Amino acid sequence: MFKGSFIHAGIRKAASILALLAVSVIMPSVLRAQTSIKVEAPNVVGLDEQFNVAFVIEGDDSPSDFQWEPGSDFQLVWGPQRGTSTSIQILNGKRSRTSQHTFTYILAPKSAGTFQLPSASAKVNGETITSRAVSIEVVANGSSSSSSRGGSSQGGSTQGSSRSSSGEISSDDLFMRFTLSRNSAVIGEPITATLKLYQRVNIAGFEDAKFPSFNGFWSQETEAPTNIEFRRETLDDKIYNTAVLRRYVIIPQQAGSLQIDPAELVVLVNVRTSSGSRSIFDSFFEDDYRTIRKRISTPTTTVNVKALPGGAPSSFGGGVGKFTISAKMSKDSLKTHEAVSLLVTVNGKGNVSLLEAPKVSFPPDMEVYDTKVTENMDRGTGGTSGSKSFEYPFIPRSHGEFTIEPIEYSYYDTSSGQYVTLRTEPITYKVAKGEGDAYAPSTGSTLQAADRKGVRNLGEDIRYIKTKTPSFGGSSFFVGKPFFWILAALLLAAFFALWAALRGMAARKADVVSSRNRKATKMALGRLKTAGDFLSKNLYTAFYEELHRALLGFISDKLNISGESLTRENISSSLLDGGVPQETADQFISLLDACEYARYAPDSGNEAMKAHYDSAVEVISRIDSSMKGHPTAKKAGAALPVILALLMPFAAQGADSYPDSLWTRGVSAYEAGQWQTAANAFEAISAAGIESADVYYNAGNAYFKAGEYPKAILNYERALKTDPSHKEARFNLEFASSQIQDRIDDVPEFFLKSWMRNLCYVMSSNVWAVLSLVLFALTLAMALLFILGSTAGKRRLGFFTGIVLLLLFVLSLSMSIWQKRDYEKADSAIVMVPVSSVKSSPSSESAKDLFVLHEGTKITLIDEVGEWRNIRLSDGREGWMKSSDMEII
């Protein structure tokens, strides 16, 4: 065990030694590769000035074979002077050493102009290294004085500056310049401003600095050195030591001639004093300089600023210059209720700092937070170029696929003199359902609530579908139909007829023949109704037997012929004697023959049965009309549509069996858990033009189970509109509404109106209509009792009971009409898209987003303009939505 430890320790020690050896071998070659010759020389010199040129080689290895010639443009005054310096530094216990080898020359220019110093060469460890070429400008006019404080000029000797014998400083030897990159601009165009000091004197310090103020400009310091460094420059063919005091970026904010106030500075200058009475020893042992204060300033500067041209696009963000724009999402995978950011970056050259945030139109139901702004300026350009990033944090609250429309951003291009509009590509992204998302389809009896407070176990489900085949009688309302008013008129006519005929009732009862004649049509209609039931059930033999009995019974009662005398000849002759046309009599005899033949013949099909049934209804009506005589023939003819309206639904039931098969298919699919198939079957019944509350109810159940809550709510609403008393549809509607996302507080309704509405929906409209006719008939009966009562008690009973029945009649009729009007109103709809934005006006561009609605929400329709609908919520809020986002109930 110990032996293994020693072995591992030895291996680690050997690896360390090898690493050190590798470093010792590699580092010298790296250092040699980095060795070069650095040149130190002034960039500007005077024609009468001698200056130093130094070649510096850094490294521990001593250079050899150093070669350099000044060339033909400069005269070698002295050199080379070789020097070596070594610096040792101990930091944190680590010792480092650097060496420097210097070759110094003193040169004098031969003529004015710009010349290039030749390159120098040397050998270090056998490798030849060279220096870079350096350009030097030679000017003919005087030279500058080196500064004694705050830095010095780059190499070279100095000469005295021009000044008067009294010690005054000439304005040519010390001054400030305030320069602008441009003197004319447009509003928002950046300008670089530089305040620079020029001197040819011996400066001792500065006092009372006052920098320019920029009224009418936005300004920012881009350079404010704390340690002033001078460098040589030429101005008007003179050499000056210059230093940048301040550098700004200024951006004009208003049009006109804007003035920039002067900058001021007090400079302390050392000036040599002169006195004729002093001896040479006095000047040697005593100081012959004095310090004077020189106040210098810049002139007032004017900038001509033009206003931006009119017609700026609505997306203009204040940018002046040249820019580009890009946009991207912070992450690719998005889920509901998780934070994400849209990153928009504007990059370019111009007034980057003043760029406004682009306007982004987020899809509805995105919870957007405050924009975060980040600047990234390029200091190398003086702060006039860079990028500005805008981060738009938001949280999607709904799932689905959304698109952020192209982001437009306009700026003013100073080079072309016009506005330029940039556009990003549209950004399409998908939002998946996040964990804990309350708006998710239900898959069982345990459903999620939509209040984002976790899953709550409701412990109940929607009520089951209707399995019994409905009548498919449609959504026809009895009240207001011609037949309704005919019945009401008949009741009123019956009232007057009964009142006029009460005295002859006894005599009419004694007349047995007339009684049978009057009852003939009524008895025939009863038998025909039974035959209609057999027709709907497709019972062939029973149908024809009942139809045959109805025909013979009618003619026996109408013509007062006994059963044994009912022969074809007696019937035909009696009909003709009673005023029946020959064609009608022949049709009746032919129909009797058809019934007798069909009783013993094979089944000829449902179509033949229906034709015989219709023919029987028609011929009985004609015979009855003909035998009543000419004065009443018109009344009998007017009653024919009533008879047909009563009897034709029985025939229609037997003829149409297609909705029945769709119903059966839908019920079977629902029981098998095939929700979509069941919904399609019930929808097919509605598409055939058949409206039934039970059909809508079953379709709503199928859609609810399939997780399509908006369609479920739509069908429940249609079921209640067809039959407001449908309790199962109302229960399931409330249950489905608890699963949608929107919660809207209803405006409280007046309690009397709520009571009346609840009473109205206790029964259907048709039930209320029939009840109103019954109450109307009872009211008329009480009126007869009041008019014809033989005693005072009967008349009082008739009066007060009649008043109560009249009020109930008015109430029942009002309820029926109320339901009918509610059904006929197309003023409600259901939101069918996942998210819909409600606008302040019918427009997508200029309108503001007021609020957001989600699928399944019920709305009230007020007005319509093109493809837009003015809607109102139950809490009173209003706005405009696209018609394509909703479906009318």
Side-chain angles (χ1 to χ4, degrees), residues 493-505 508 784 788:
F495 167 75
F496 291 106
L498 286 174
W499 177 73
L502 281 176
R503 295 178 182 179
M505 288 182 62
R508 294 181 62 187
L784 284 175
L788 301 176

Side-chain angles (χ1 to χ4, degrees), residues 5 148 167 203 388 407-408 444 476-477 506 649 693 787 821 824 831 846:
S5 301
S148 62
I203 294 178
K388 197 169 187 178
I407 303 170
E408 293 189 353
S476 176
F477 285 88
I787 296 172
R821 289 181 177 176
E824 292 175 346
V831 179
S846 59

Side-chain angles (χ1 to χ4, degrees), residues 330-348:
S330 61
K331 58 183 179 180
D332 299 329
S333 178
L334 281 72
K335 292 184 178 181
T336 55
H337 316 307
E338 291 184 358
V340 67
S341 294
L342 173 67
L343 303 177
V344 180
T345 302
V346 181
N347 184 47

Side-chain angles (χ1 to χ4, degrees), residues 408-663:
E408 293 189 353
Y409 198 73
S410 300
Y411 68 93
Y412 180 74
D413 190 347
T414 54
S415 59
S416 62
Q418 59 185 2
Y419 292 100
V420 177
T421 300
L422 306 173
R423 292 179 179 85
T424 64
E425 295 294 327
I427 301 176
T428 301
Y429 59 95
K430 292 183 178 180
V431 180
K433 294 179 181 179
E435 297 181 1
D437 193 348
Y439 188 57
S442 173
T443 57
S445 62
T446 300
L447 301 175
Q448 282 188 317
D451 55 3
R452 301 188 194 94
K453 296 180 180 179
V455 178
R456 60 186 179 97
N457 190 354
L458 300 177
E460 57 182 351
D461 200 355
I462 58 173
R463 294 181 180 175
Y464 201 64
I465 61 171
K466 299 287 185 179
T467 57
K468 183 180 178 180
T469 305
S471 62
F472 298 127
S475 60
S476 176
F477 285 88
F478 183 39
V479 66
K481 292 282 187 180
F483 185 49
F484 176 84
W485 298 117
I486 289 173
L487 288 179
L490 288 176
L491 289 175
L492 192 60
F495 167 75
F496 291 106
L498 286 174
W499 177 73
L502 281 176
R503 295 178 182 179
M505 288 182 62
R508 294 181 62 187
K509 288 181 180 178
D511 188 356
V512 179
V513 175
S514 299
S515 178
R516 287 186 63 190
N517 185 285
R518 289 191 300 272
K519 295 179 180 179
T521 303
K522 180 179 179 181
M523 297 294 292
L525 292 178
R527 293 190 180 103
L528 285 176
K529 183 176 181 181
T530 305
D533 292 336
F534 293 146
L535 172 61
S536 63
K537 299 176 181 178
N538 204 20
L539 300 176
Y540 183 78
T541 303
F543 168 75
Y544 279 107
E545 287 179 354
E546 188 65 28
L547 184 62
H548 189 263
R549 281 195 294 268
L551 294 173
L552 290 179
F554 170 74
I555 208 65
S556 176
D557 293 337
K558 199 71 176 175
L559 302 178
N560 195 24
I561 301 176
S562 60
E564 57 273 9
S565 300
L566 286 174
T567 62
R568 298 173 75 252
E569 294 75 10
N570 290 341
I571 294 173
S572 179
S573 61
S574 298
L575 288 174
L576 294 175
D577 293 341
V580 177
Q582 180 70 44
E583 180 183 357
T584 304
D586 293 341
Q587 184 179 0
F588 184 84
I589 297 299
S590 176
L591 188 58
L592 282 176
D593 294 340
C595 290
E596 292 179 355
Y597 174 77
R599 292 165 63 189
Y600 306 101
D603 190 346
S604 58
N606 189 273
E607 294 296 329
M609 294 167 62
K610 185 177 183 302
H612 290 153
Y613 181 86
D614 295 341
S615 180
V617 174
E618 182 180 2
V619 74
I620 288 174
S621 300
R622 289 183 181 179
I623 291 173
D624 184 70
S625 175
S626 300
M627 293 188 67
K628 285 183 178 180
H630 297 289
T632 59
K634 294 181 180 179
K635 295 181 181 179
L640 178 60
V642 178
I643 298 174
L644 294 176
L646 287 172
L647 297 178
M648 288 308 290
F650 297 101
Q653 290 177 7
D656 189 4
S657 60
Y658 178 64
D660 294 348
S661 62
L662 288 174
W663 175 272

Side-chain angles (χ1 to χ4, degrees), residues 687-706:
I690 299 174
E691 290 190 346
S692 170
D694 288 344
V695 172
Y696 288 132
Y697 170 75
N698 283 8
N701 281 13
Y703 281 124
F704 182 88
K705 288 294 186 179

